[in-house]
Amino acid sequence: MPSTSTSRASGLPHDRFLNRELSWLDFNARVLELAEDDELPLLERVKFLSIFASNLDEFYMVRIAGLKRRHSTGLTVRSVDGLTIREQLELITKRTQDLVHRHADVFLKDVAPRLEDAGIRIVHWEDLADEDTRRLREYFRDQVFPVLTPLAVDPAHPFPYISGLSLNLAVMVRDPDTNVAHFARVKVPNNVPRFVAVGPTDRTATFLPLEDLIAAHLPQLFPGLDVVSHHLFRVTRNADVEVEEDRDEDLLQALERELARRRFGSAVRLEVTESMDPQILEVLLSEMEMQPEDVLHVPGLLDLAALMALYDLDRPELKDDPFVPATHPRLSEGETPKSVFATLREGDVLVHHPYYSFATSVQRFIEQAAADPHVLAIKQTLYRTSGDSPIVNALIDAAEAGKQVVVLVEIKARFDEEANITWARSLEKAGCHVVYGLVGLKTHCKTALVVRREHGVLRRYCHIGTGNYNPKTARIYEDLGILTADPRVGADLTDLFNTLTGYSRQTNYRMLMVAPHGIRTGLIEKIRREARNATEGRSSGIRMKLNSLVDERIIDALYEASAAGVPVELLIRGICALRPGVPGLSESIRVRSIVGRFLEHSRVVSFDNDGDPEWWLGSADLMHRNLDRRVEVLLRVCDETARRELARLFDQAMAPDVRSWQLGGDGDWTRSGERDYQAERLAEVGEHAG
């Protein structure tokens, strides 16, 4: 529990914040707990093992890379919890090593044996029958050998570049004539399946890791030499693109240049098997300019993110029951789709994905607008979308039909930069007006505006959501959105798009809070209003559902509200730097996290406002990057039906017996509850739709 020593500047304890990086690791530990949960279907546990590994990869590529970069410059800045960068890295390394061992143990000692019982096996070369080895030798000869490139390391061959996240074999070979040993590297190709099927994959399936297949055939790669040993390793590199935005330079070209550089980012993590030869490890560290503390020793298989290939097996009895998202009842009459425009003239529609279908709501809104001869213009922001995007196709159709189409494509969306550059060029080619946002800011808001002529009058229809315009992630991410014909929202979005595409400097809106100028100040003002109401004996209360809560000014405002007696309920999926339930600091604040089948992704905040509740939803988490370096939007929800639905959803998620994790003032998360909120929501929507 934090001490009660106080800061002269604020009157609040010095140690009132939790470390954001360690809090993120706690989130990934909650993902790992789902992989450990033997009440979940087996392949769902496999999925969470894969997600844990993928999450950790990105954490190192971005967050740890950033810390190491700052550390290398000699910065002595401390985190909000008082730790130096070196102290943070030491704690992160220890915590990560513990989690990686736990992750490997879950797979090796629990999940893998259960998979074998279910007829799904991962074997090694020495386990194979003669018939299988003969068949796999042919597979190696025809499908693998031609794409392998053994790279020697000697005075004539410099140490090769090791690409980020690639699997590699470090091989020691010896010349039998001279008895001289040599080091070589063989990259495990990423365009060949990681798990090679040994025979048919139907009710049973046996797989051989690709690295095992290659290792068994190393003599073919080094004919005339003796293969002494081989060891698997994997490198993670800094993949955070930093584009220096010059007003006189084309942003697209600048980003493409930085993407090319990203391939050669500095190495930040080296994963090796526990059997790694110390001498080979020393060579790897020296050649890649890494330190011993950068090494993670992993029991068993490296890169368990590849387990997602097993999840894709056709074994429905080992997975959650499938579901089909329901069409929102206001958007159809039986099986017949209704006009979205006619529906919105009757009132707003709150859509809750993936329970309600993205395809028959938001996607249909854009598709109907593209096909409607009365629609004059469509304006939309795109942060991330799918590979074959029906949204982008609809915008292209609209432009080719002569409509005014304006698309803000955020080409700096991390890890989607190349895809978004491709979309931007496709949209431009079709005649869309494509812009890339404001210099120095990422445009993260999820907004769409449709202008339609009706009986000689122009009417505006809008969508503002918490998730990307991506039909694939809309089936696995929990998100919320409002479809509305409210003229005030339409006027606000018109002003916002004029700011994004032109030179407007508007910062005040009717129904929106917009970052970087308005969200932090707007939320703090409303938090303080709740504190005043509590102090004066009026009704008060604050509720927030977020991915992350890190911003110190907002956290301090919440502490002050708690001191005034305001009840504060926080539903935080990921990082939370606030300490709840601390006497004298945050006694009236409780924090819980729900991690489950769907990624809780929506951002919603509400204020009691003396019995006249305000509800806001949008794209912003309460982090520095969202509030200071992004264009984000929060929409005030005024439709009474939508407000009641949001309140009901929050009540359900915060019910005492819902399966969740509770955060203590000491920073520890405790799992509790039995009811599956997401499963109940699925059943409820299915019954309602039926």
Side-chain angles (χ1 to χ4, degrees), residues 3 14 82 85 116 199 245 308 333 355 374 406 470 473 487 491-492 506 520 540 556 584 592 644 665:
S3 68
H14 289 288
I85 294 176
E116 188 157 350
E245 298 182 39
M308 195 60 79
E333 293 178 353
Y355 311 102
H374 300 293
V406 177
N470 186 326
T473 57
D492 275 351
Q506 179 158 337
R520 180 188 285 110
S540 66
D556 280 348
R592 73 164 36 172
R644 285 198 304 269

Side-chain angles (χ1 to χ4, degrees), residues 170 231-233 270-281 284 297:
H231 300 275
L232 197 66
F233 70 96
L270 175 62
E271 294 171 276
V272 300
T273 58
E274 290 194 319
S275 61
M276 168 64 75
D277 183 305
Q279 289 184 314
I280 292 180
L281 179 57
L284 294 174
H297 294 269

Side-chain angles (χ1 to χ4, degrees), residues 105-415:
D105 281 351
V106 176
F107 178 65
L108 293 172
K109 299 177 182 179
D110 186 6
V111 171
R114 290 172 187 258
L115 285 170
E116 188 157 350
D117 291 343
I120 301 171
R121 302 170 63 219
I122 296 177
V123 299
H124 297 292
W125 182 260
E126 58 269 21
D127 302 325
L128 297 174
D130 291 344
E131 180 183 345
D132 294 327
T133 59
R134 282 195 298 272
R135 186 168 56 253
L136 288 175
R137 287 189 190 283
E138 292 178 5
Y139 175 83
F140 176 82
R141 181 194 64 208
D142 297 338
Q143 302 295 329
V144 181
F145 182 78
V147 298
L148 296 179
T149 304
L151 295 174
V153 177
D154 59 29
H157 301 86
F159 191 86
Y161 172 76
I162 309 296
S163 54
L165 301 186
S166 64
L167 280 174
N168 302 270
L169 286 167
V171 185
M172 290 300 296
V173 294
R174 179 178 289 116
D175 186 326
D177 296 330
T178 64
N179 207 33
V180 174
H182 299 281
F183 176 91
R185 171 260 194 160
V186 178
K187 180 178 179 178
V188 178
N190 57 10
N191 53 1
V192 177
R194 168 73 185 284
F195 295 115
V196 180
V198 182
T201 56
D202 39 40
R203 296 303 303 167
T204 62
T206 301
F207 297 97
L208 177 75
L210 180 58
E211 59 269 26
D212 274 37
L213 180 63
I214 296 171
H217 293 83
L218 284 174
Q220 294 184 32
L221 294 170
F222 302 98
L225 299 176
D226 297 330
V227 177
V228 178
S229 66
H230 63 271
H231 300 275
L232 197 66
F233 70 96
R234 184 171 182 257
V235 174
T236 307
R237 293 188 176 276
N238 180 351
D240 198 16
V241 173
E242 289 190 346
V243 183
E244 294 185 8
E245 298 182 39
D246 187 328
R247 292 180 184 274
D248 297 325
E249 183 180 21
D250 185 290
L251 180 58
L252 206 62
Q253 293 177 356
L255 182 61
E256 287 179 318
R257 185 182 63 247
E258 289 305 312
L259 287 175
R261 288 181 186 172
R262 179 162 74 182
R263 291 186 55 245
F264 302 97
S266 58
V268 296
R269 177 181 62 166
L270 175 62
E271 294 171 276
V272 300
T273 58
E274 290 194 319
S275 61
M276 168 64 75
D277 183 305
Q279 289 184 314
I280 292 180
L281 179 57
E282 189 175 331
V283 170
L284 294 174
L285 289 174
S286 173
E287 293 290 349
M288 291 187 288
E289 300 180 339
M290 302 180 76
Q291 302 301 316
E293 57 265 28
D294 299 325
V295 179
L296 281 177
H297 294 269
V298 181
L301 291 172
L302 295 189
D303 187 20
L304 290 186
L307 290 176
M308 195 60 79
L310 302 188
Y311 182 78
D312 291 337
L313 290 170
D314 185 19
R315 295 292 299 274
E317 77 280 10
L318 301 179
K319 301 180 185 180
D320 285 328
D321 291 337
F323 81 101
V324 177
T327 295
H328 194 287
R330 288 197 49 217
L331 295 174
S332 67
E333 293 178 353
E335 299 296 319
T336 305
K338 291 177 62 176
S339 163
V340 177
F341 305 117
T343 299
L344 297 186
R345 287 194 292 271
E346 299 168 358
D348 296 356
V349 174
L350 175 73
V351 283
H352 192 195
H353 312 301
Y355 311 102
Y356 285 119
S357 169
F358 178 89
T360 60
S361 57
V362 180
Q363 181 180 320
R364 183 175 289 168
F365 170 54
I366 302 300
E367 289 173 339
Q368 286 187 358
D372 190 330
H374 300 293
V375 167
L376 305 181
I378 304 172
K379 301 183 180 185
Q380 187 164 1
T381 58
L382 284 180
Y383 192 74
R384 302 186 198 275
T385 189
S386 58
D388 179 23
S389 174
I391 295 283
V392 173
N393 292 337
L395 294 171
I396 289 173
D397 290 344
E400 291 175 345
K403 294 176 170 57
Q404 175 93 356
V405 178
V406 177
V407 189
L408 191 144
V409 179
E410 182 45 79
I411 57 173
K412 300 189 295 294
R414 184 181 291 139
F415 303 127

Side-chain angles (χ1 to χ4, degrees), residues 583-603:
L585 177 69
S586 55
E587 291 174 77
S588 68
I589 303 177
R590 65 183 180 124
V591 178
R592 73 164 36 172
S593 173
I594 293 177
V595 181
R597 176 176 182 174
F598 305 123
L599 184 82
E600 294 286 325
H601 191 251
S602 61
R603 295 92 163 183

Side-chain angles (χ1 to χ4, degrees), residues 390-658:
I391 295 283
V392 173
N393 292 337
L395 294 171
I396 289 173
D397 290 344
E400 291 175 345
K403 294 176 170 57
Q404 175 93 356
V405 178
V406 177
V407 189
L408 191 144
V409 179
E410 182 45 79
I411 57 173
K412 300 189 295 294
R414 184 181 291 139
F415 303 127
D416 277 333
E417 299 97 342
E418 293 179 0
N420 285 5
I421 289 172
T422 300
W423 285 126
R425 288 186 166 141
S426 297
L427 288 161
E428 284 180 331
K429 187 177 180 180
C432 300
H433 300 290
V434 179
V435 293
Y436 308 128
L438 304 175
V439 172
L441 299 174
K442 281 187 181 179
T443 303
H444 189 250
C445 54
K446 326 298 183 183
T447 57
L449 171 67
V450 171
V451 181
R452 190 172 188 265
R453 178 179 285 124
E454 298 174 2
H455 308 295
V457 176
L458 296 187
R459 184 188 286 266
R460 290 173 282 205
Y461 298 86
C462 310
H463 171 262
I464 294 177
T466 68
N468 296 304
Y469 291 104
N470 186 326
K472 292 184 178 178
T473 57
R475 292 180 66 92
I476 54 177
Y477 287 16
E478 179 273 342
D479 273 303
L480 288 158
I482 289 279
L483 290 159
T484 181
D486 187 325
R488 298 169 297 177
V489 179
D492 275 351
L493 280 193
T494 299
D495 292 340
L496 176 64
F497 275 103
N498 287 344
T499 299
L500 295 174
T501 62
Y503 288 112
S504 167
R505 294 193 176 185
Q506 179 158 337
T507 58
N508 296 316
Y509 296 87
R510 306 155 189 83
M511 304 293 289
L512 304 180
M513 284 190 269
V514 179
H517 302 291
I519 291 182
R520 180 188 285 110
T521 55
L523 291 178
I524 289 176
E525 177 185 321
K526 294 177 189 306
I527 292 168
R528 289 175 175 164
R529 181 188 63 195
E530 296 303 306
R532 289 194 301 271
N533 286 344
T535 301
E536 295 167 6
R538 293 195 290 270
S539 175
S540 66
I542 299 169
R543 287 176 150 185
M544 295 183 173
K545 181 179 184 299
L546 305 162
N547 295 306
S548 300
L549 172 60
V550 173
D551 189 78
E552 295 86 8
R553 289 169 58 189
I554 288 179
I555 291 174
D556 280 348
L558 291 171
Y559 285 148
E560 291 163 6
S562 177
V566 179
V568 180
E569 293 181 305
L570 304 176
L571 187 56
I572 314 293
R573 185 195 81 222
I575 304 169
C576 182
L578 178 146
R579 295 182 183 269
V582 178
L585 177 69
S586 55
E587 291 174 77
S588 68
I589 303 177
R590 65 183 180 124
V591 178
R592 73 164 36 172
S593 173
I594 293 177
V595 181
R597 176 176 182 174
F598 305 123
L599 184 82
E600 294 286 325
H601 191 251
S602 61
R603 295 92 163 183
V604 186
V605 296
S606 79
F607 304 94
D608 182 90
N609 192 30
D610 192 22
D612 182 20
E614 282 187 20
W615 284 90
W616 298 77
L617 68 77
S619 53
D621 285 308
L622 301 187
M623 307 174 72
H624 302 155
R625 71 185 187 199
N626 298 83
L627 303 180
D628 297 323
R629 303 191 297 276
R630 289 184 174 184
V631 178
E632 302 273 18
V633 165
L634 292 182
L635 166 70
R636 182 170 182 176
V637 181
C638 292
D639 182 88
E640 188 55 36
T641 300
R643 296 190 333 166
R644 285 198 304 269
E645 178 69 0
L646 288 173
R648 193 175 67 83
L649 290 175
F650 211 106
D651 287 342
Q652 290 176 335
M654 295 299 288
D657 55 348
V658 161

